[in-house]
Amino acid sequence: MNEARARVVGVIQARAGSQRLPAKVLRQICGEPMIVRIHQRLCLARQLDDVLAAIPDTAENDTLAAVLQRERIPFVRGPEEQLAMRLWLAAAAGPAAAIVRITGDEALIDPDVVNEVVAEWRRDPEIDYVSNVYPASKRSCPEGLDVEVMRCSLLTRLKKAGGEAETSPSEWLWAHPNAMRWSLIAFEPVDPGLPSLHWSVDTAEDLAGARVVYERLPEGFTMAEVLAEFGEVSLPEIGRKHG
């Protein structure tokens, strides 16, 4: 870790419950649970000083906690419906000046994309929120490569605010942009087709496509390598064509 810079930790927001694909974060991708694969990819992001998970403290998530413990992935547990609290607990455990929120369905998360978004925040650490997703009309990456940097002071405000700010912090922030200092990072040149691609794992079809990507590409593969190998297609189509 570079002590001269503000400490930033990646936080995998995950839970066992999922209606469309139950326990999806524990589904196997090339012999490892998906959450382990996400953790491995985030550990390749040189702008992150640590990576941990934030999971609910319910009995339903005890198996997830056991897997994280077995894999020696640090984690915090907090109220399932109080997401801002869980993220704040992760930041405090870091400890961190800011966290990078990554959801547990982002199996293809690109370390290079993470690096660029965090580097943008490091240029001005007084910015509350930096992402590649807001505003949606300006995003330039496939859905599933979403990166959000949040200052700890912003998480504290969200936690105290309660309501939607506590349960759905990103959505609340997007609806109240004047409540924060924010910045968007777009990847040039912007390909208008990329934001419409679905690269997160929400269904069995998505998972099949993610498995193909992991089988065909080397460790640490990037967005550019996925596009070069498969073209501008979503995960279900990759699974159908190459599975």
Side-chain angles (χ1 to χ4, degrees):
M1 183 187 72
N2 184 352
E3 296 291 344
R5 66 181 190 176
R7 186 172 168 83
V8 178
V9 301
V11 179
I12 307 169
Q13 169 199 318
R15 61 189 181 94
S18 174
Q19 292 184 344
R20 287 186 287 179
L21 188 61
K24 65 183 178 183
V25 294
L26 298 177
R27 300 288 180 125
Q28 297 283 305
I29 297 179
C30 292
E32 298 281 5
M34 183 163 68
I35 193 166
V36 175
R37 290 299 185 190
I38 296 170
H39 181 265
Q40 291 170 343
R41 291 181 62 74
L42 288 175
C43 285
L44 298 175
R46 63 187 179 278
Q47 287 283 352
L48 297 180
D49 298 292
D50 202 355
V51 182
L52 60 157
I55 69 172
D57 55 10
T58 59
E60 181 184 23
N61 287 275
D62 287 348
T63 299
L64 173 55
V67 169
L68 294 170
Q69 190 168 29
R70 183 192 72 206
E71 299 294 333
R72 298 184 179 180
I73 297 174
F75 64 96
V76 298
R77 303 187 72 171
E80 183 159 19
E81 300 303 322
Q82 295 176 285
L83 177 54
M85 170 65 83
R86 277 194 279 142
L87 296 176
W88 182 87
L89 289 171
I99 64 119
V100 176
R101 174 181 178 250
I102 303 295
T103 56
D105 54 11
E106 295 187 74
L108 271 59
I109 190 66
D110 185 336
D112 288 350
V113 173
V114 173
N115 283 333
E116 293 198 43
V117 178
V118 177
E120 174 69 14
W121 178 80
R122 289 191 188 281
R123 282 188 273 273
D124 183 359
E126 295 302 311
I127 295 179
D128 295 311
Y129 178 86
V130 180
S131 79
N132 64 346
V133 298
Y134 177 83
S137 61
K138 301 290 186 180
R139 62 178 297 156
S140 56
C141 290
E143 181 268 328
L145 299 187
D146 301 353
V147 179
E148 297 175 276
V149 179
M150 299 179 180
R151 287 182 72 201
C152 290
S153 57
L154 177 63
L155 292 173
T156 299
R157 286 163 49 201
L158 293 170
K159 178 172 63 75
K160 290 180 178 179
E164 187 181 4
E166 171 70 352
T167 59
S168 303
S170 294
E171 289 79 0
W172 188 87
L173 289 170
W174 301 339
H176 301 84
N178 293 332
M180 60 179 174
R181 287 188 62 207
W182 61 272
S183 177
L184 165 80
I185 179 166
F187 295 85
E188 302 291 346
V190 175
D191 183 331
L194 294 187
S196 66
L197 300 182
H198 177 77
W199 283 9
S200 62
V201 176
D202 297 315
T203 66
E205 291 76 17
D206 297 332
L207 180 62
R211 286 169 172 165
V212 170
V213 173
Y214 272 81
E215 289 166 0
R216 294 271 290 268
L217 296 178
E219 180 181 359
F221 59 82
T222 64
M223 173 177 66
E225 289 175 311
V226 177
L227 293 169
E229 180 72 16
F230 302 104
E232 290 191 10
V233 296
S234 294
L235 284 182
E237 188 175 352
I238 292 174
R240 286 192 297 269
K241 286 187 173 181
H242 304 279

